[in-house]
Amino acid sequence: VSSGREQTSPRTASILIVGNEILCGRTLDTNSHWLCSRLYGLGIRVRRKMTVADDVREIVEAVKLLRNGVDYVIVAGGIGPTPDDVTREAIARALGKRLVAHPEAERIIREHYRDRINAYRLQMARLPEGARLIRNPRFAAPGFWLENVFVFPGVPQLLREMFDSIIGHLQTARFYEQSFTTHLAESEFSSILYSEAAGPGVSIGSYPRMDDSGGWTVTIVVSGTDEGLVQRVASKLRERVSELERARDGRH
Amino acid sequence: VSSGREQTSPRTASILIVGNEILCGRTLDTNSHWLCSRLYGLGIRVRRKMTVADDVREIVEAVKLLRNGVDYVIVAGGIGPTPDDVTREAIARALGKRLVAHPEAERIIREHYRDRINAYRLQMARLPEGARLIRNPRFAAPGFWLENVFVFPGVPQLLREMFDSIIGHLQTARFYEQSFTTHLAESEFSSILYSEAAGPGVSIGSYPRMDDSGGWTVTIVVSGTDEGLVQRVASKLRERVSELERARDGRH
């Protein structure tokens, strides 16, 4: 019953967020959460995400690590006109490219600023050689992509508006997910997770949450690309957790 | 006028968050934001933060990278009793230690669970050899630290309650910060940032924010460990941005 598409193993991605403002706790990074959720919805598994300072060496090192073993790298932040905007230069270095004036980017920026053009604005047109543009709907500074690295502004509204335009370049799929909750402690049903977790193509997560009064709820999530398998494993788990809940209630 | 303490260069840290639930966008990671803010308040500069899946190899690779060139590594998540809780094992491997039963942790866990003790609960007492405990006020599973790596549960309330107990092991300092906002575009005052950004001991950030109607506000932040220097640079910048604002208003 499963289609060919579901048999393909899902694509993977890494996310790099650039910005001192996040590392000093001034700004809550909502971009990476949004990207994780959006990519998951596209059937792309995020393997790692990282935040580094506005520092060329740090960004280069991060890009090299994050590209390792994944299909796509999504980068956000550091492509504006100020001295701390060093992402363009760092991406060029990480991919071994020269930083050159991109003619189309320069045309867009000159047209936007007209007689208010200056060196700092033109700097936003200097991109790694071979980069293709990601159009910015509200602002002159374009995003760009080359090889498997996609670079966006860090302003959340712009990132979200611009992200859609790259989806055609990604190989998407679909994840199926089933979840349920229990008030049992994780250590009361660990044995079940160990015995059911076997087998590729399905992953099981267990996420405890504490409420304001100190009580616990655990959410158990089963996910994978094979809908039937996800349903079978989730039903079995739910049934066995229910048995344990009944056994505990019987003891009290 | 500056005291000896201000001359010491501040300590640095990395943060590692472990958990699939964050990478698939199910959970917003608030722990790393809280840690960034808390560490900044203690005068410790966070250089990098990273999130990886509940996977031994991924965690080992991340810890090795994150330790590089920083004083402290703070880790949160993956120390519970379920199969996806692999952080203890990964930290042991990353630091080249054996995973052994920690007598004090085992005593605490046995005392907590009494006749409900089981293998999954005892597993929470298996820590890298030489680890010291970070007491968990609400729950049996302890955090731990060894060398410069500090490991906490991923449950936000527990992380926050337990973090205070390690502060005595960190070398703290104080950052001074001055900030102001402008409605000028970043590219209108870039030249000022480039000319004033010179000099070690002070960092200047420029953070644009878009409001709901598409208008922009830029916050300029000057920070460093020398209060006098931070004040002088911030005053100078503010004065020069004001001049530009007046010049622009004059043009309109």
Side-chain angles (χ1 to χ4, degrees), chain A residues 21 25-26 33 47-51 58 81 118 121 123 157 177 187-188 190 194 207 210, chain B residues 25-26 33 47-51 58 81 118 121 123 157 177 187-188 190 194 207 210:
Chain A
E21 70 276 28
R26 165 175 289 275
H33 179 61
R47 293 275 300 277
R48 314 176 189 106
K49 65 176 187 169
M50 195 165 178
T51 304
E58 291 279 342
N118 65 32
R121 287 166 173 159
Q123 179 183 289
Q157 295 96 323
E177 195 174 285
S187 49
E188 293 179 89
S190 279
Y194 277 99
Y207 307 120
M210 190 192 283
Chain B
R26 165 174 289 275
H33 179 61
R47 293 275 300 275
R48 314 174 188 108
K49 65 177 187 170
M50 195 166 178
T51 304
E58 291 280 342
N118 64 32
R121 285 164 176 162
Q123 179 184 288
Q157 294 96 324
E177 194 175 287
S187 49
E188 294 179 89
S190 280
Y194 277 98
Y207 307 120
M210 190 191 284

mmCIF file of all heavy atoms in Angstrom, chain A residues 21 25-26 33 47-51 58 81 118 121 123 157 177 187-188 190 194 207 210, chain B residues 25-26 33 47-51 58 81 118 121 123 157 177 187-188 190 194 207 210:
data_model
loop_
_atom_site.group_PDB
_atom_site.id
_atom_site.type_symbol
_atom_site.label_atom_id
_atom_site.label_comp_id
_atom_site.label_asym_id
_atom_site.label_seq_id
_atom_site.Cartn_x
_atom_site.Cartn_y
_atom_site.Cartn_z
ATOM 1 N N GLU A 21 23.326 38.942 19.061
ATOM 2 C CA GLU A 21 22.160 39.322 19.870
ATOM 3 C C GLU A 21 21.470 38.099 20.464
ATOM 4 O O GLU A 21 20.809 38.186 21.494
ATOM 5 C CB GLU A 21 21.184 40.177 19.052
ATOM 6 C CG GLU A 21 20.428 39.473 17.944
ATOM 7 C CD GLU A 21 21.189 39.370 16.613
ATOM 8 O OE1 GLU A 21 22.454 39.339 16.642
ATOM 9 O OE2 GLU A 21 20.535 39.294 15.570
ATOM 10 N N GLY A 25 21.593 36.645 24.760
ATOM 11 C CA GLY A 25 20.286 36.518 25.395
ATOM 12 C C GLY A 25 19.370 37.705 25.179
ATOM 13 O O GLY A 25 18.297 37.784 25.770
ATOM 14 N N ARG A 26 19.780 38.653 24.327
ATOM 15 C CA ARG A 26 18.940 39.821 24.047
ATOM 16 C C ARG A 26 17.721 39.422 23.220
ATOM 17 O O ARG A 26 16.616 39.888 23.454
ATOM 18 C CB ARG A 26 19.779 40.866 23.301
ATOM 19 C CG ARG A 26 19.000 41.988 22.626
ATOM 20 C CD ARG A 26 19.935 43.018 22.026
ATOM 21 N NE ARG A 26 20.577 43.794 23.065
ATOM 22 C CZ ARG A 26 20.032 44.879 23.627
ATOM 23 N NH1 ARG A 26 18.860 45.324 23.240
ATOM 24 N NH2 ARG A 26 20.669 45.515 24.574
ATOM 25 N N HIS A 33 13.321 27.753 15.215
ATOM 26 C CA HIS A 33 12.133 26.972 15.564
ATOM 27 C C HIS A 33 11.160 26.935 14.382
ATOM 28 O O HIS A 33 10.633 25.881 14.018
ATOM 29 C CB HIS A 33 11.455 27.589 16.783
ATOM 30 C CG HIS A 33 10.210 26.879 17.215
ATOM 31 N ND1 HIS A 33 10.190 25.564 17.616
ATOM 32 C CD2 HIS A 33 8.921 27.296 17.301
ATOM 33 C CE1 HIS A 33 8.957 25.216 17.932
ATOM 34 N NE2 HIS A 33 8.173 26.240 17.751
ATOM 35 N N ARG A 47 18.939 17.765 11.273
ATOM 36 C CA ARG A 47 19.879 16.959 12.058
ATOM 37 C C ARG A 47 20.572 17.784 13.140
ATOM 38 O O ARG A 47 20.896 17.276 14.212
ATOM 39 C CB ARG A 47 20.943 16.367 11.129
ATOM 40 C CG ARG A 47 20.400 15.328 10.149
ATOM 41 C CD ARG A 47 20.348 13.956 10.780
ATOM 42 N NE ARG A 47 21.658 13.516 11.189
ATOM 43 C CZ ARG A 47 22.556 12.943 10.395
ATOM 44 N NH1 ARG A 47 22.255 12.697 9.149
ATOM 45 N NH2 ARG A 47 23.736 12.586 10.849
ATOM 46 N N ARG A 48 20.888 19.035 12.818
ATOM 47 C CA ARG A 48 21.612 19.870 13.771
ATOM 48 C C ARG A 48 21.232 21.310 13.538
ATOM 49 O O ARG A 48 20.983 21.704 12.409
ATOM 50 C CB ARG A 48 23.124 19.821 13.525
ATOM 51 C CG ARG A 48 23.699 18.488 13.315
ATOM 52 C CD ARG A 48 25.183 18.569 12.984
ATOM 53 N NE ARG A 48 25.638 17.262 12.582
ATOM 54 C CZ ARG A 48 25.910 16.912 11.341
ATOM 55 N NH1 ARG A 48 25.824 17.795 10.353
ATOM 56 N NH2 ARG A 48 26.296 15.683 11.063
ATOM 57 N N LYS A 49 21.235 22.091 14.613
ATOM 58 C CA LYS A 49 21.190 23.530 14.394
ATOM 59 C C LYS A 49 22.213 24.196 15.296
ATOM 60 O O LYS A 49 22.586 23.653 16.340
ATOM 61 C CB LYS A 49 19.789 24.094 14.579
ATOM 62 C CG LYS A 49 19.229 24.011 15.971
ATOM 63 C CD LYS A 49 17.873 24.696 16.025
ATOM 64 C CE LYS A 49 17.386 24.776 17.455
ATOM 65 N NZ LYS A 49 16.225 25.636 17.615
ATOM 66 N N MET A 50 22.651 25.345 14.857
ATOM 67 C CA MET A 50 23.758 25.987 15.564
ATOM 68 C C MET A 50 23.597 27.505 15.474
ATOM 69 O O MET A 50 23.047 28.020 14.501
ATOM 70 C CB MET A 50 25.061 25.564 14.891
ATOM 71 C CG MET A 50 26.294 25.843 15.699
ATOM 72 S SD MET A 50 27.702 24.909 15.018
ATOM 73 C CE MET A 50 28.970 25.498 16.128
ATOM 74 N N THR A 51 24.054 28.187 16.508
ATOM 75 C CA THR A 51 24.090 29.647 16.494
ATOM 76 C C THR A 51 25.518 30.082 16.779
ATOM 77 O O THR A 51 26.132 29.588 17.733
ATOM 78 C CB THR A 51 23.174 30.237 17.584
ATOM 79 O OG1 THR A 51 21.854 29.729 17.399
ATOM 80 C CG2 THR A 51 23.139 31.756 17.506
ATOM 81 N N GLU A 58 34.163 31.912 12.910
ATOM 82 C CA GLU A 58 33.155 31.067 13.555
ATOM 83 C C GLU A 58 32.133 30.552 12.536
ATOM 84 O O GLU A 58 31.705 29.405 12.590
ATOM 85 C CB GLU A 58 32.414 31.857 14.644
ATOM 86 C CG GLU A 58 33.251 32.202 15.864
ATOM 87 C CD GLU A 58 33.362 31.042 16.851
ATOM 88 O OE1 GLU A 58 32.550 30.110 16.786
ATOM 89 O OE2 GLU A 58 34.290 31.086 17.686
ATOM 90 N N PRO A 81 23.900 45.702 5.889
ATOM 91 C CA PRO A 81 24.976 46.594 5.455
ATOM 92 C C PRO A 81 25.918 47.065 6.563
ATOM 93 O O PRO A 81 26.719 47.966 6.320
ATOM 94 C CB PRO A 81 24.179 47.783 4.933
ATOM 95 C CG PRO A 81 22.991 47.839 5.848
ATOM 96 C CD PRO A 81 22.686 46.432 6.270
ATOM 97 N N ASN A 118 25.166 54.007 -1.579
ATOM 98 C CA ASN A 118 26.484 54.243 -0.981
ATOM 99 C C ASN A 118 27.241 52.920 -0.892
ATOM 100 O O ASN A 118 26.695 51.854 -1.225
ATOM 101 C CB ASN A 118 26.354 54.938 0.396
ATOM 102 C CG ASN A 118 25.649 54.071 1.434
ATOM 103 O OD1 ASN A 118 25.747 52.846 1.419
ATOM 104 N ND2 ASN A 118 24.920 54.717 2.342
ATOM 105 N N ARG A 121 25.612 50.079 1.088
ATOM 106 C CA ARG A 121 24.471 49.445 0.429
ATOM 107 C C ARG A 121 24.957 48.538 -0.694
ATOM 108 O O ARG A 121 24.427 47.439 -0.877
ATOM 109 C CB ARG A 121 23.525 50.529 -0.080
ATOM 110 C CG ARG A 121 22.781 51.153 1.089
ATOM 111 C CD ARG A 121 22.060 52.433 0.788
ATOM 112 N NE ARG A 121 21.279 52.790 1.986
ATOM 113 C CZ ARG A 121 20.844 54.009 2.271
ATOM 114 N NH1 ARG A 121 21.073 55.015 1.450
ATOM 115 N NH2 ARG A 121 20.160 54.213 3.374
ATOM 116 N N GLN A 123 27.658 46.984 -0.807
ATOM 117 C CA GLN A 123 28.292 45.806 -0.210
ATOM 118 C C GLN A 123 27.328 44.609 -0.148
ATOM 119 O O GLN A 123 27.745 43.458 -0.189
ATOM 120 C CB GLN A 123 28.743 46.197 1.191
ATOM 121 C CG GLN A 123 29.398 45.120 1.997
ATOM 122 C CD GLN A 123 29.716 45.641 3.388
ATOM 123 O OE1 GLN A 123 30.606 46.466 3.555
ATOM 124 N NE2 GLN A 123 28.966 45.194 4.387
ATOM 125 N N GLN A 157 10.219 38.201 9.741
ATOM 126 C CA GLN A 157 9.207 38.366 8.694
ATOM 127 C C GLN A 157 9.802 38.128 7.309
ATOM 128 O O GLN A 157 9.158 37.532 6.444
ATOM 129 C CB GLN A 157 8.604 39.780 8.720
ATOM 130 C CG GLN A 157 7.820 40.106 9.986
ATOM 131 C CD GLN A 157 8.676 40.844 11.005
ATOM 132 O OE1 GLN A 157 9.882 40.566 11.151
ATOM 133 N NE2 GLN A 157 8.069 41.757 11.740
ATOM 134 N N GLU A 177 2.836 11.050 11.902
ATOM 135 C CA GLU A 177 3.114 11.165 13.324
ATOM 136 C C GLU A 177 1.872 10.773 14.112
ATOM 137 O O GLU A 177 0.751 11.120 13.725
ATOM 138 C CB GLU A 177 3.462 12.628 13.604
ATOM 139 C CG GLU A 177 4.103 12.846 14.932
ATOM 140 C CD GLU A 177 4.554 14.289 15.116
ATOM 141 O OE1 GLU A 177 5.561 14.695 14.522
ATOM 142 O OE2 GLU A 177 3.865 15.013 15.864
ATOM 143 N N SER A 187 10.082 6.413 33.713
ATOM 144 C CA SER A 187 10.779 5.203 34.141
ATOM 145 C C SER A 187 9.814 4.050 34.424
ATOM 146 O O SER A 187 10.237 2.922 34.630
ATOM 147 C CB SER A 187 11.631 5.494 35.386
ATOM 148 O OG SER A 187 10.868 6.166 36.356
ATOM 149 N N GLU A 188 8.480 4.321 34.416
ATOM 150 C CA GLU A 188 7.526 3.223 34.579
ATOM 151 C C GLU A 188 7.245 2.518 33.257
ATOM 152 O O GLU A 188 6.780 1.384 33.242
ATOM 153 C CB GLU A 188 6.210 3.751 35.168
ATOM 154 C CG GLU A 188 6.368 4.248 36.599
ATOM 155 C CD GLU A 188 5.062 4.782 37.161
ATOM 156 O OE1 GLU A 188 4.294 3.977 37.736
ATOM 157 O OE2 GLU A 188 4.788 5.993 37.013
ATOM 158 N N SER A 190 9.613 2.730 30.509
ATOM 159 C CA SER A 190 10.853 2.609 29.734
ATOM 160 C C SER A 190 10.981 1.258 29.044
ATOM 161 O O SER A 190 11.383 1.163 27.887
ATOM 162 C CB SER A 190 12.068 2.769 30.636
ATOM 163 O OG SER A 190 12.321 4.114 30.882
ATOM 164 N N TYR A 194 11.871 0.422 25.102
ATOM 165 C CA TYR A 194 13.031 -0.349 24.653
ATOM 166 C C TYR A 194 12.594 -1.511 23.768
ATOM 167 O O TYR A 194 13.204 -1.807 22.758
ATOM 168 C CB TYR A 194 13.836 -0.870 25.851
ATOM 169 C CG TYR A 194 14.809 0.145 26.407
ATOM 170 C CD1 TYR A 194 14.498 0.895 27.528
ATOM 171 C CD2 TYR A 194 16.040 0.345 25.792
ATOM 172 C CE1 TYR A 194 15.383 1.826 28.040
ATOM 173 C CE2 TYR A 194 16.941 1.270 26.297
ATOM 174 C CZ TYR A 194 16.603 2.011 27.421
ATOM 175 O OH TYR A 194 17.492 2.921 27.918
ATOM 176 N N TYR A 207 8.532 12.737 25.848
ATOM 177 C CA TYR A 207 8.808 14.121 26.245
ATOM 178 C C TYR A 207 8.052 14.517 27.504
ATOM 179 O O TYR A 207 6.873 14.843 27.448
ATOM 180 C CB TYR A 207 8.454 15.068 25.089
ATOM 181 C CG TYR A 207 9.139 14.642 23.807
ATOM 182 C CD1 TYR A 207 8.411 14.300 22.678
ATOM 183 C CD2 TYR A 207 10.523 14.529 23.765
ATOM 184 C CE1 TYR A 207 9.056 13.872 21.511
ATOM 185 C CE2 TYR A 207 11.172 14.098 22.616
ATOM 186 C CZ TYR A 207 10.428 13.773 21.500
ATOM 187 O OH TYR A 207 11.069 13.339 20.373
ATOM 188 N N MET A 210 6.587 19.419 32.898
ATOM 189 C CA MET A 210 6.152 19.656 34.275
ATOM 190 C C MET A 210 5.162 20.814 34.286
ATOM 191 O O MET A 210 5.416 21.843 33.668
ATOM 192 C CB MET A 210 7.374 20.015 35.129
ATOM 193 C CG MET A 210 7.082 20.051 36.616
ATOM 194 S SD MET A 210 8.452 20.808 37.540
ATOM 195 C CE MET A 210 9.627 19.457 37.564
ATOM 196 N N GLY B 25 10.666 20.733 15.479
ATOM 197 C CA GLY B 25 9.799 21.901 15.617
ATOM 198 C C GLY B 25 8.646 21.704 16.580
ATOM 199 O O GLY B 25 7.773 22.556 16.704
ATOM 200 N N ARG B 26 8.625 20.567 17.286
ATOM 201 C CA ARG B 26 7.547 20.316 18.260
ATOM 202 C C ARG B 26 7.697 21.233 19.475
ATOM 203 O O ARG B 26 6.724 21.752 19.995
ATOM 204 C CB ARG B 26 7.609 18.841 18.690
ATOM 205 C CG ARG B 26 6.811 18.487 19.929
ATOM 206 C CD ARG B 26 6.829 16.993 20.187
ATOM 207 N NE ARG B 26 6.037 16.289 19.207
ATOM 208 C CZ ARG B 26 4.710 16.105 19.289
ATOM 209 N NH1 ARG B 26 4.046 16.547 20.344
ATOM 210 N NH2 ARG B 26 4.072 15.470 18.361
ATOM 211 N N HIS B 33 18.047 30.055 25.349
ATOM 212 C CA HIS B 33 17.854 31.501 25.496
ATOM 213 C C HIS B 33 18.048 31.909 26.957
ATOM 214 O O HIS B 33 18.738 32.883 27.268
ATOM 215 C CB HIS B 33 16.455 31.875 25.019
ATOM 216 C CG HIS B 33 16.136 33.336 25.152
ATOM 217 N ND1 HIS B 33 16.850 34.317 24.500
ATOM 218 C CD2 HIS B 33 15.185 33.987 25.857
ATOM 219 C CE1 HIS B 33 16.346 35.497 24.808
ATOM 220 N NE2 HIS B 33 15.342 35.323 25.628
ATOM 221 N N ARG B 47 29.844 31.717 23.062
ATOM 222 C CA ARG B 47 30.437 31.780 21.727
ATOM 223 C C ARG B 47 29.612 31.030 20.690
ATOM 224 O O ARG B 47 29.556 31.411 19.537
ATOM 225 C CB ARG B 47 31.851 31.189 21.767
ATOM 226 C CG ARG B 47 32.840 32.012 22.580
ATOM 227 C CD ARG B 47 33.452 33.127 21.753
ATOM 228 N NE ARG B 47 34.159 32.589 20.615
ATOM 229 C CZ ARG B 47 35.422 32.155 20.638
ATOM 230 N NH1 ARG B 47 36.125 32.243 21.740
ATOM 231 N NH2 ARG B 47 35.982 31.656 19.553
ATOM 232 N N ARG B 48 29.043 29.889 21.084
ATOM 233 C CA ARG B 48 28.293 29.062 20.142
ATOM 234 C C ARG B 48 27.219 28.330 20.904
ATOM 235 O O ARG B 48 27.411 27.963 22.063
ATOM 236 C CB ARG B 48 29.164 27.954 19.536
ATOM 237 C CG ARG B 48 30.496 28.379 19.056
ATOM 238 C CD ARG B 48 31.318 27.182 18.618
ATOM 239 N NE ARG B 48 32.664 27.624 18.347
ATOM 240 C CZ ARG B 48 33.703 27.360 19.119
ATOM 241 N NH1 ARG B 48 33.569 26.606 20.194
ATOM 242 N NH2 ARG B 48 34.892 27.824 18.810
ATOM 243 N N LYS B 49 26.096 28.072 20.233
ATOM 244 C CA LYS B 49 25.182 27.093 20.798
ATOM 245 C C LYS B 49 24.720 26.165 19.701
ATOM 246 O O LYS B 49 24.735 26.522 18.523
ATOM 247 C CB LYS B 49 24.012 27.752 21.530
ATOM 248 C CG LYS B 49 23.092 28.550 20.685
ATOM 249 C CD LYS B 49 21.932 29.077 21.526
ATOM 250 C CE LYS B 49 20.906 29.735 20.630
ATOM 251 N NZ LYS B 49 19.666 30.056 21.335
ATOM 252 N N MET B 50 24.358 24.976 20.112
ATOM 253 C CA MET B 50 24.064 23.947 19.128
ATOM 254 C C MET B 50 22.965 23.042 19.667
ATOM 255 O O MET B 50 22.846 22.848 20.878
ATOM 256 C CB MET B 50 25.336 23.143 18.875
ATOM 257 C CG MET B 50 25.285 22.288 17.643
ATOM 258 S SD MET B 50 26.955 21.725 17.220
ATOM 259 C CE MET B 50 26.555 20.732 15.792
ATOM 260 N N THR B 51 22.147 22.530 18.757
ATOM 261 C CA THR B 51 21.147 21.528 19.120
ATOM 262 C C THR B 51 21.371 20.308 18.243
ATOM 263 O O THR B 51 21.504 20.445 17.030
ATOM 264 C CB THR B 51 19.723 22.069 18.869
ATOM 265 O OG1 THR B 51 19.559 23.286 19.578
ATOM 266 C CG2 THR B 51 18.670 21.064 19.321
ATOM 267 N N GLU B 58 26.206 12.014 17.277
ATOM 268 C CA GLU B 58 25.984 13.451 17.072
ATOM 269 C C GLU B 58 26.403 14.255 18.306
ATOM 270 O O GLU B 58 26.987 15.328 18.202
ATOM 271 C CB GLU B 58 24.502 13.724 16.782
ATOM 272 C CG GLU B 58 24.006 13.221 15.446
ATOM 273 C CD GLU B 58 24.358 14.150 14.287
ATOM 274 O OE1 GLU B 58 24.674 15.324 14.534
ATOM 275 O OE2 GLU B 58 24.339 13.673 13.137
ATOM 276 N N PRO B 81 15.314 8.357 31.887
ATOM 277 C CA PRO B 81 15.429 6.894 31.902
ATOM 278 C C PRO B 81 14.966 6.186 30.631
ATOM 279 O O PRO B 81 14.828 4.969 30.635
ATOM 280 C CB PRO B 81 14.491 6.537 33.057
ATOM 281 C CG PRO B 81 13.395 7.561 32.947
ATOM 282 C CD PRO B 81 14.029 8.814 32.411
ATOM 283 N N ASN B 118 13.968 0.084 39.402
ATOM 284 C CA ASN B 118 14.109 -0.858 38.281
ATOM 285 C C ASN B 118 15.364 -0.490 37.481
ATOM 286 O O ASN B 118 16.034 0.512 37.770
ATOM 287 C CB ASN B 118 12.836 -0.868 37.402
ATOM 288 C CG ASN B 118 12.575 0.470 36.717
ATOM 289 O OD1 ASN B 118 13.511 1.208 36.376
ATOM 290 N ND2 ASN B 118 11.299 0.795 36.525
ATOM 291 N N ARG B 121 15.559 3.034 35.984
ATOM 292 C CA ARG B 121 15.816 4.092 36.965
ATOM 293 C C ARG B 121 17.283 4.072 37.396
ATOM 294 O O ARG B 121 17.908 5.127 37.531
ATOM 295 C CB ARG B 121 14.864 3.915 38.152
ATOM 296 C CG ARG B 121 13.468 4.360 37.776
ATOM 297 C CD ARG B 121 12.361 3.908 38.691
ATOM 298 N NE ARG B 121 11.104 4.510 38.214
ATOM 299 C CZ ARG B 121 9.891 4.099 38.541
ATOM 300 N NH1 ARG B 121 9.736 3.074 39.354
ATOM 301 N NH2 ARG B 121 8.838 4.703 38.059
ATOM 302 N N GLN B 123 19.721 3.167 35.675
ATOM 303 C CA GLN B 123 20.533 3.645 34.551
ATOM 304 C C GLN B 123 20.882 5.130 34.709
ATOM 305 O O GLN B 123 21.916 5.598 34.237
ATOM 306 C CB GLN B 123 19.713 3.418 33.280
ATOM 307 C CG GLN B 123 20.361 3.873 32.012
ATOM 308 C CD GLN B 123 19.397 3.675 30.844
ATOM 309 O OE1 GLN B 123 19.141 2.556 30.430
ATOM 310 N NE2 GLN B 123 18.858 4.773 30.326
ATOM 311 N N GLN B 157 12.106 23.947 34.061
ATOM 312 C CA GLN B 157 12.051 24.289 35.486
ATOM 313 C C GLN B 157 13.238 23.689 36.246
ATOM 314 O O GLN B 157 13.804 24.312 37.143
ATOM 315 C CB GLN B 157 10.754 23.775 36.133
ATOM 316 C CG GLN B 157 9.495 24.442 35.608
ATOM 317 C CD GLN B 157 8.842 23.620 34.502
ATOM 318 O OE1 GLN B 157 9.523 22.992 33.691
ATOM 319 N NE2 GLN B 157 7.525 23.639 34.444
ATOM 320 N N GLU B 177 26.624 47.668 29.361
ATOM 321 C CA GLU B 177 25.922 47.763 28.086
ATOM 322 C C GLU B 177 25.196 49.083 28.008
ATOM 323 O O GLU B 177 24.628 49.544 28.996
ATOM 324 C CB GLU B 177 24.916 46.605 28.033
ATOM 325 C CG GLU B 177 24.356 46.350 26.671
ATOM 326 C CD GLU B 177 23.462 45.124 26.667
ATOM 327 O OE1 GLU B 177 23.974 43.992 26.743
ATOM 328 O OE2 GLU B 177 22.232 45.304 26.604
ATOM 329 N N SER B 187 21.818 51.131 6.684
ATOM 330 C CA SER B 187 22.778 51.547 5.653
ATOM 331 C C SER B 187 22.988 53.054 5.637
ATOM 332 O O SER B 187 23.875 53.562 4.966
ATOM 333 C CB SER B 187 22.329 51.048 4.282
ATOM 334 O OG SER B 187 20.969 51.378 4.066
ATOM 335 N N GLU B 188 22.172 53.809 6.412
ATOM 336 C CA GLU B 188 22.404 55.255 6.512
ATOM 337 C C GLU B 188 23.473 55.582 7.560
ATOM 338 O O GLU B 188 24.044 56.657 7.535
ATOM 339 C CB GLU B 188 21.101 55.988 6.853
ATOM 340 C CG GLU B 188 20.072 55.898 5.739
ATOM 341 C CD GLU B 188 18.772 56.618 6.103
ATOM 342 O OE1 GLU B 188 18.668 57.824 5.819
ATOM 343 O OE2 GLU B 188 17.867 55.967 6.674
ATOM 344 N N SER B 190 25.892 53.085 8.598
ATOM 345 C CA SER B 190 26.980 52.094 8.546
ATOM 346 C C SER B 190 28.352 52.722 8.690
ATOM 347 O O SER B 190 29.221 52.206 9.395
ATOM 348 C CB SER B 190 26.962 51.353 7.209
ATOM 349 O OG SER B 190 26.002 50.361 7.220
ATOM 350 N N TYR B 194 31.445 51.641 11.208
ATOM 351 C CA TYR B 194 32.773 51.219 10.767
ATOM 352 C C TYR B 194 33.848 52.081 11.416
ATOM 353 O O TYR B 194 34.874 51.589 11.835
ATOM 354 C CB TYR B 194 32.897 51.307 9.237
ATOM 355 C CG TYR B 194 32.344 50.090 8.532
ATOM 356 C CD1 TYR B 194 31.068 50.101 7.990
ATOM 357 C CD2 TYR B 194 33.108 48.933 8.406
ATOM 358 C CE1 TYR B 194 30.569 48.985 7.328
ATOM 359 C CE2 TYR B 194 32.620 47.821 7.759
ATOM 360 C CZ TYR B 194 31.344 47.847 7.218
ATOM 361 O OH TYR B 194 30.854 46.743 6.583
ATOM 362 N N TYR B 207 20.751 46.047 15.466
ATOM 363 C CA TYR B 207 19.698 45.034 15.349
ATOM 364 C C TYR B 207 18.398 45.615 14.832
ATOM 365 O O TYR B 207 17.638 46.229 15.573
ATOM 366 C CB TYR B 207 19.480 44.359 16.711
ATOM 367 C CG TYR B 207 20.777 43.837 17.276
ATOM 368 C CD1 TYR B 207 21.270 44.292 18.496
ATOM 369 C CD2 TYR B 207 21.541 42.924 16.554
ATOM 370 C CE1 TYR B 207 22.487 43.831 18.991
ATOM 371 C CE2 TYR B 207 22.757 42.466 17.036
ATOM 372 C CZ TYR B 207 23.224 42.925 18.256
ATOM 373 O OH TYR B 207 24.428 42.483 18.728
ATOM 374 N N MET B 210 11.401 44.799 12.455
ATOM 375 C CA MET B 210 10.299 45.290 11.626
ATOM 376 C C MET B 210 9.011 45.226 12.440
ATOM 377 O O MET B 210 8.735 44.198 13.061
ATOM 378 C CB MET B 210 10.169 44.400 10.385
ATOM 379 C CG MET B 210 9.221 44.951 9.331
ATOM 380 S SD MET B 210 8.867 43.722 8.047
ATOM 381 C CE MET B 210 10.386 43.782 7.102
#
